[in-house]
Amino acid sequence: MKKLENISEDRKKYLRKMKLRKNEILCTQIFIVIAFIALWEILARKGIIDSFITSQPSRIVKTFMNLSSNNLLEHVRITCTETLIGFLLGTFSGVIIAIILWWSPFISKVSEPFLVILNSLPKTALGPVIIIWVGAGMPAIIVMALAISLIVTILEILNGFLHTDKEKIKMAKTFNANKTQVLTKIVIPANIPTFFNTLKVNIGLSLVGVISGEFLVSKGGLGYLIVYGGQVFQLDLVMTSVIILAIVAALMYQSIVLLEKVFVK
Amino acid sequence: MEKILEVKNICKTYQAENGEIESLRNISFDVNRGEFISIIGPSGCGKSTLLSIIAGLENKTSGEIYINGKIGYMLQKDNLLEWRTIYKNVLLGLEIQKSNTPENRKYVEELLKKYELYEFKDKYPTQLSGGMRQRVALIRTLAIKPSILLLDEAFSALDYQTRLMVTEDIYKILKNENITALMVTHDISEAISMSDRVIVLSHRPATVKKIYSIDFEMENRTPLNCREKPKFSEYFNLMWKQLEEIK
């Protein structure tokens, strides 16, 4: 980094322009959100849209304020716990399976068609089966999250492993590295970026699995609230839950980004 | 003279889906301590395969190899690991061979100091120039104290200018540390400029066509200063014709 006094006039101008541009984008984004909310509120108040069906921002805020009466926090906690467990299980077992498949090209070749089919199969179709097998409760929801994220994890990580620079592996072998050393010294560290990309995809997928699981099991969590709210026509509750869900998803994603920043410099 | 490497009647036949490919036929030669030997030949003749076989990375079909000591191997690319610092990169070979001891680390630090890389030891490979990276790769190989160094087109990934400088650098380091070297290259002048002997291989299946002894009869010979000698072009023409004949 150059020191400030060494910056030329043109450079300063350029930097100022870049900063201005950034601010413009941010302001426009904030404006869109505010305008959307304002329009929604006004249209609902004027009776142009039916707030019974669309809900309205002020009522969402009210529902949000009455967190305790709806037990909202408890539902958020349930969803987050399920997502985290599903996410950790999916990532952990996915990485382990990917390592096994990398280790044994035979097992990898044998399992390839099965993985491809499982990957393209919509896992929510397995929902009823899962509920019958593990019972209608938290375990079923976690299995659902696992089913959705596991195959993608395996395929992504394995793909990264297999595309590790062959020359680097050869280099390690010139020092007589055994397979474990190739794995721990070359393949795994070379794939840390792949790993974090997979985490980012996975946290979203786990949440999809949890919400669709909650739709089916209907005992607790934001997914349950959404289904329940829809059935009793409490659109305020549905909208509030969706917004909280969006915030939860964004927070989880950002924490992975943060984790990546700490690990990858 | 003490033999560091003896290659006897090496044959190599590949099994591929569409048939057998005979790559090497009856290759034999010796390398003495302190020598610099180059192997040249038409592209695709199996030069690199021969090196891989000597290093034990590939199996031979028949023949025998005797090595007196440890082998160091340098590839075309420096293959520095970008997630490790220079110092950690240099220690990789020692780590793999489980000999990352304080004495060996001290030896590595001396090498880094001697070859002007010590101040960069906490930097990452992307912060270094191509020539410096190649030097780091060499030190990584020297760290395991090999008795013979195999160079597989080790400089061909560099641009011409850097390449001349790096060959000069590496040659000096090798002579300094008294390291025996066996280099595979497709560049005739690179082979002449660095070697004591040049082995010319034929087309596939590769056989030893001829072995040239290179002697410039000068003191403090380096890859750069011997290029100015009239003998250099004589050797060049000889080998050029030899390779043309093979074609």
Side-chain angles (χ1 to χ4, degrees), chain A residues 15-38:
Chain A
L15 288 176
R16 223 177 292 140
K17 207 173 134 195
M18 292 303 284
K19 207 174 168 191
L20 202 68
R21 185 90 195 154
K22 232 174 153 182
N23 286 338
E24 271 172 18
I25 291 170
L26 187 67
C27 288
T28 315
Q29 286 166 336
I30 293 171
F31 173 76
I32 289 172
V33 174
I34 292 173
F36 178 75
I37 293 170

mmCIF file of all heavy atoms in Angstrom, chain A residues 15-38:
data_model
loop_
_atom_site.group_PDB
_atom_site.id
_atom_site.type_symbol
_atom_site.label_atom_id
_atom_site.label_comp_id
_atom_site.label_asym_id
_atom_site.label_seq_id
_atom_site.Cartn_x
_atom_site.Cartn_y
_atom_site.Cartn_z
ATOM 1 N N LEU A 15 -10.071 7.493 -6.942
ATOM 2 C CA LEU A 15 -10.520 6.858 -5.705
ATOM 3 C C LEU A 15 -11.834 7.459 -5.232
ATOM 4 O O LEU A 15 -12.734 6.750 -4.781
ATOM 5 C CB LEU A 15 -9.449 7.008 -4.618
ATOM 6 C CG LEU A 15 -8.210 6.146 -4.815
ATOM 7 C CD1 LEU A 15 -7.181 6.439 -3.728
ATOM 8 C CD2 LEU A 15 -8.566 4.662 -4.809
ATOM 9 N N ARG A 16 -11.928 8.807 -5.370
ATOM 10 C CA ARG A 16 -13.146 9.487 -4.943
ATOM 11 C C ARG A 16 -14.334 8.994 -5.775
ATOM 12 O O ARG A 16 -15.407 8.749 -5.268
ATOM 13 C CB ARG A 16 -12.971 11.006 -5.100
ATOM 14 C CG ARG A 16 -13.521 11.772 -3.903
ATOM 15 C CD ARG A 16 -13.275 13.251 -4.050
ATOM 16 N NE ARG A 16 -11.867 13.592 -3.956
ATOM 17 C CZ ARG A 16 -11.249 14.497 -4.723
ATOM 18 N NH1 ARG A 16 -11.934 15.131 -5.669
ATOM 19 N NH2 ARG A 16 -9.987 14.771 -4.556
ATOM 20 N N LYS A 17 -14.063 8.832 -7.064
ATOM 21 C CA LYS A 17 -15.113 8.392 -7.972
ATOM 22 C C LYS A 17 -15.598 6.979 -7.597
ATOM 23 O O LYS A 17 -16.795 6.704 -7.565
ATOM 24 C CB LYS A 17 -14.563 8.386 -9.413
ATOM 25 C CG LYS A 17 -15.632 8.579 -10.471
ATOM 26 C CD LYS A 17 -14.988 8.732 -11.829
ATOM 27 C CE LYS A 17 -15.695 7.875 -12.853
ATOM 28 N NZ LYS A 17 -14.913 7.723 -14.069
ATOM 29 N N MET A 18 -14.619 6.108 -7.288
ATOM 30 C CA MET A 18 -14.968 4.735 -6.917
ATOM 31 C C MET A 18 -15.825 4.716 -5.654
ATOM 32 O O MET A 18 -16.792 3.970 -5.540
ATOM 33 C CB MET A 18 -13.690 3.921 -6.657
ATOM 34 C CG MET A 18 -12.846 3.652 -7.878
ATOM 35 S SD MET A 18 -13.737 2.822 -9.178
ATOM 36 C CE MET A 18 -13.775 1.160 -8.508
ATOM 37 N N LYS A 19 -15.457 5.577 -4.693
ATOM 38 C CA LYS A 19 -16.165 5.619 -3.423
ATOM 39 C C LYS A 19 -17.595 6.128 -3.638
ATOM 40 O O LYS A 19 -18.558 5.593 -3.084
ATOM 41 C CB LYS A 19 -15.420 6.530 -2.449
ATOM 42 C CG LYS A 19 -15.673 6.151 -1.005
ATOM 43 C CD LYS A 19 -14.813 6.978 -0.072
ATOM 44 C CE LYS A 19 -15.286 6.810 1.346
ATOM 45 N NZ LYS A 19 -14.638 7.792 2.221
ATOM 46 N N LEU A 20 -17.691 7.138 -4.479
ATOM 47 C CA LEU A 20 -18.989 7.730 -4.790
ATOM 48 C C LEU A 20 -19.911 6.679 -5.404
ATOM 49 O O LEU A 20 -21.070 6.540 -5.041
ATOM 50 C CB LEU A 20 -18.782 8.888 -5.768
ATOM 51 C CG LEU A 20 -19.894 9.934 -5.794
ATOM 52 C CD1 LEU A 20 -19.918 10.709 -4.493
ATOM 53 C CD2 LEU A 20 -19.686 10.886 -6.980
ATOM 54 N N ARG A 21 -19.336 5.933 -6.334
ATOM 55 C CA ARG A 21 -20.073 4.885 -7.041
ATOM 56 C C ARG A 21 -20.618 3.871 -6.038
ATOM 57 O O ARG A 21 -21.774 3.475 -6.099
ATOM 58 C CB ARG A 21 -19.097 4.211 -8.012
ATOM 59 C CG ARG A 21 -19.714 3.201 -8.896
ATOM 60 C CD ARG A 21 -20.208 3.844 -10.166
ATOM 61 N NE ARG A 21 -21.116 2.948 -10.852
ATOM 62 C CZ ARG A 21 -22.058 3.367 -11.662
ATOM 63 N NH1 ARG A 21 -22.240 4.668 -11.862
ATOM 64 N NH2 ARG A 21 -22.828 2.512 -12.264
ATOM 65 N N LYS A 22 -19.759 3.461 -5.123
ATOM 66 C CA LYS A 22 -20.135 2.483 -4.108
ATOM 67 C C LYS A 22 -21.303 3.000 -3.280
ATOM 68 O O LYS A 22 -22.268 2.281 -3.018
ATOM 69 C CB LYS A 22 -18.923 2.228 -3.192
ATOM 70 C CG LYS A 22 -18.580 0.754 -3.043
ATOM 71 C CD LYS A 22 -17.303 0.652 -2.260
ATOM 72 C CE LYS A 22 -17.211 -0.650 -1.504
ATOM 73 N NZ LYS A 22 -15.975 -0.701 -0.716
ATOM 74 N N ASN A 23 -21.193 4.279 -2.879
ATOM 75 C CA ASN A 23 -22.263 4.888 -2.087
ATOM 76 C C ASN A 23 -23.560 4.954 -2.868
ATOM 77 O O ASN A 23 -24.639 4.707 -2.314
ATOM 78 C CB ASN A 23 -21.857 6.292 -1.645
ATOM 79 C CG ASN A 23 -20.814 6.224 -0.541
ATOM 80 O OD1 ASN A 23 -20.700 5.215 0.151
ATOM 81 N ND2 ASN A 23 -20.042 7.295 -0.401
ATOM 82 N N GLU A 24 -23.438 5.295 -4.143
ATOM 83 C CA GLU A 24 -24.634 5.367 -4.994
ATOM 84 C C GLU A 24 -25.385 4.042 -5.006
ATOM 85 O O GLU A 24 -26.593 3.995 -4.845
ATOM 86 C CB GLU A 24 -24.221 5.700 -6.439
ATOM 87 C CG GLU A 24 -24.150 7.188 -6.735
ATOM 88 C CD GLU A 24 -23.559 7.440 -8.108
ATOM 89 O OE1 GLU A 24 -23.527 6.507 -8.936
ATOM 90 O OE2 GLU A 24 -23.125 8.567 -8.343
ATOM 91 N N ILE A 25 -24.601 2.970 -5.185
ATOM 92 C CA ILE A 25 -25.220 1.638 -5.246
ATOM 93 C C ILE A 25 -25.917 1.323 -3.932
ATOM 94 O O ILE A 25 -27.070 0.888 -3.917
ATOM 95 C CB ILE A 25 -24.144 0.575 -5.577
ATOM 96 C CG1 ILE A 25 -23.680 0.770 -7.028
ATOM 97 C CG2 ILE A 25 -24.668 -0.834 -5.372
ATOM 98 C CD1 ILE A 25 -22.476 -0.046 -7.419
ATOM 99 N N LEU A 26 -25.225 1.569 -2.826
ATOM 100 C CA LEU A 26 -25.794 1.276 -1.508
ATOM 101 C C LEU A 26 -27.079 2.072 -1.275
ATOM 102 O O LEU A 26 -28.096 1.536 -0.830
ATOM 103 C CB LEU A 26 -24.758 1.579 -0.423
ATOM 104 C CG LEU A 26 -25.170 1.166 0.982
ATOM 105 C CD1 LEU A 26 -25.253 -0.355 1.074
ATOM 106 C CD2 LEU A 26 -24.207 1.694 2.027
ATOM 107 N N CYS A 27 -27.029 3.385 -1.603
ATOM 108 C CA CYS A 27 -28.200 4.250 -1.388
ATOM 109 C C CYS A 27 -29.383 3.764 -2.211
ATOM 110 O O CYS A 27 -30.520 3.716 -1.724
ATOM 111 C CB CYS A 27 -27.876 5.696 -1.767
ATOM 112 S SG CYS A 27 -26.772 6.473 -0.586
ATOM 113 N N THR A 28 -29.115 3.385 -3.459
ATOM 114 C CA THR A 28 -30.199 2.901 -4.319
ATOM 115 C C THR A 28 -30.819 1.641 -3.735
ATOM 116 O O THR A 28 -32.046 1.482 -3.718
ATOM 117 C CB THR A 28 -29.669 2.610 -5.735
ATOM 118 O OG1 THR A 28 -28.829 3.689 -6.125
ATOM 119 C CG2 THR A 28 -30.791 2.452 -6.727
ATOM 120 N N GLN A 29 -29.944 0.754 -3.234
ATOM 121 C CA GLN A 29 -30.456 -0.478 -2.642
ATOM 122 C C GLN A 29 -31.358 -0.185 -1.444
ATOM 123 O O GLN A 29 -32.460 -0.743 -1.326
ATOM 124 C CB GLN A 29 -29.290 -1.385 -2.214
ATOM 125 C CG GLN A 29 -28.595 -2.050 -3.401
ATOM 126 C CD GLN A 29 -27.256 -2.654 -3.039
ATOM 127 O OE1 GLN A 29 -26.605 -2.245 -2.066
ATOM 128 N NE2 GLN A 29 -26.814 -3.618 -3.836
ATOM 129 N N ILE A 30 -30.896 0.703 -0.568
ATOM 130 C CA ILE A 30 -31.694 1.056 0.610
ATOM 131 C C ILE A 30 -33.005 1.697 0.177
ATOM 132 O O ILE A 30 -34.084 1.381 0.701
ATOM 133 C CB ILE A 30 -30.901 2.006 1.537
ATOM 134 C CG1 ILE A 30 -29.704 1.249 2.133
ATOM 135 C CG2 ILE A 30 -31.790 2.561 2.643
ATOM 136 C CD1 ILE A 30 -28.729 2.129 2.878
ATOM 137 N N PHE A 31 -32.915 2.560 -0.842
ATOM 138 C CA PHE A 31 -34.104 3.237 -1.341
ATOM 139 C C PHE A 31 -35.143 2.234 -1.842
ATOM 140 O O PHE A 31 -36.336 2.343 -1.543
ATOM 141 C CB PHE A 31 -33.720 4.199 -2.475
ATOM 142 C CG PHE A 31 -34.903 4.812 -3.158
ATOM 143 C CD1 PHE A 31 -35.620 5.838 -2.535
ATOM 144 C CD2 PHE A 31 -35.326 4.352 -4.396
ATOM 145 C CE1 PHE A 31 -36.720 6.385 -3.155
ATOM 146 C CE2 PHE A 31 -36.433 4.896 -5.020
ATOM 147 C CZ PHE A 31 -37.137 5.912 -4.400
ATOM 148 N N ILE A 32 -34.679 1.216 -2.583
ATOM 149 C CA ILE A 32 -35.609 0.203 -3.121
ATOM 150 C C ILE A 32 -36.356 -0.484 -1.988
ATOM 151 O O ILE A 32 -37.581 -0.640 -2.033
ATOM 152 C CB ILE A 32 -34.848 -0.833 -3.977
ATOM 153 C CG1 ILE A 32 -34.392 -0.176 -5.288
ATOM 154 C CG2 ILE A 32 -35.719 -2.054 -4.280
ATOM 155 C CD1 ILE A 32 -33.481 -1.029 -6.132
ATOM 156 N N VAL A 33 -35.631 -0.864 -0.933
ATOM 157 C CA VAL A 33 -36.265 -1.548 0.204
ATOM 158 C C VAL A 33 -37.307 -0.642 0.852
ATOM 159 O O VAL A 33 -38.468 -1.051 1.080
ATOM 160 C CB VAL A 33 -35.195 -1.971 1.245
ATOM 161 C CG1 VAL A 33 -35.851 -2.545 2.481
ATOM 162 C CG2 VAL A 33 -34.245 -2.976 0.625
ATOM 163 N N ILE A 34 -36.889 0.611 1.131
ATOM 164 C CA ILE A 34 -37.816 1.540 1.800
ATOM 165 C C ILE A 34 -39.043 1.803 0.927
ATOM 166 O O ILE A 34 -40.184 1.762 1.404
ATOM 167 C CB ILE A 34 -37.088 2.860 2.151
ATOM 168 C CG1 ILE A 34 -36.048 2.575 3.256
ATOM 169 C CG2 ILE A 34 -38.076 3.918 2.626
ATOM 170 C CD1 ILE A 34 -35.156 3.749 3.581
ATOM 171 N N ALA A 35 -38.791 2.022 -0.374
ATOM 172 C CA ALA A 35 -39.902 2.308 -1.285
ATOM 173 C C ALA A 35 -40.877 1.138 -1.337
ATOM 174 O O ALA A 35 -42.094 1.327 -1.316
ATOM 175 C CB ALA A 35 -39.363 2.607 -2.685
ATOM 176 N N PHE A 36 -40.312 -0.066 -1.361
ATOM 177 C CA PHE A 36 -41.150 -1.260 -1.428
ATOM 178 C C PHE A 36 -42.042 -1.354 -0.194
ATOM 179 O O PHE A 36 -43.262 -1.553 -0.285
ATOM 180 C CB PHE A 36 -40.252 -2.496 -1.552
ATOM 181 C CG PHE A 36 -41.005 -3.791 -1.572
ATOM 182 C CD1 PHE A 36 -41.703 -4.186 -2.707
ATOM 183 C CD2 PHE A 36 -41.030 -4.622 -0.452
ATOM 184 C CE1 PHE A 36 -42.402 -5.378 -2.725
ATOM 185 C CE2 PHE A 36 -41.732 -5.812 -0.463
ATOM 186 C CZ PHE A 36 -42.419 -6.197 -1.602
ATOM 187 N N ILE A 37 -41.407 -1.171 0.973
ATOM 188 C CA ILE A 37 -42.169 -1.268 2.218
ATOM 189 C C ILE A 37 -43.229 -0.171 2.279
ATOM 190 O O ILE A 37 -44.396 -0.423 2.623
ATOM 191 C CB ILE A 37 -41.213 -1.177 3.441
ATOM 192 C CG1 ILE A 37 -40.317 -2.421 3.463
ATOM 193 C CG2 ILE A 37 -42.001 -1.055 4.737
ATOM 194 C CD1 ILE A 37 -39.183 -2.342 4.470
ATOM 195 N N ALA A 38 -42.837 1.050 1.906
ATOM 196 C CA ALA A 38 -43.765 2.188 1.968
ATOM 197 C C ALA A 38 -44.953 1.956 1.038
ATOM 198 O O ALA A 38 -46.123 2.145 1.425
ATOM 199 C CB ALA A 38 -43.029 3.475 1.579
#
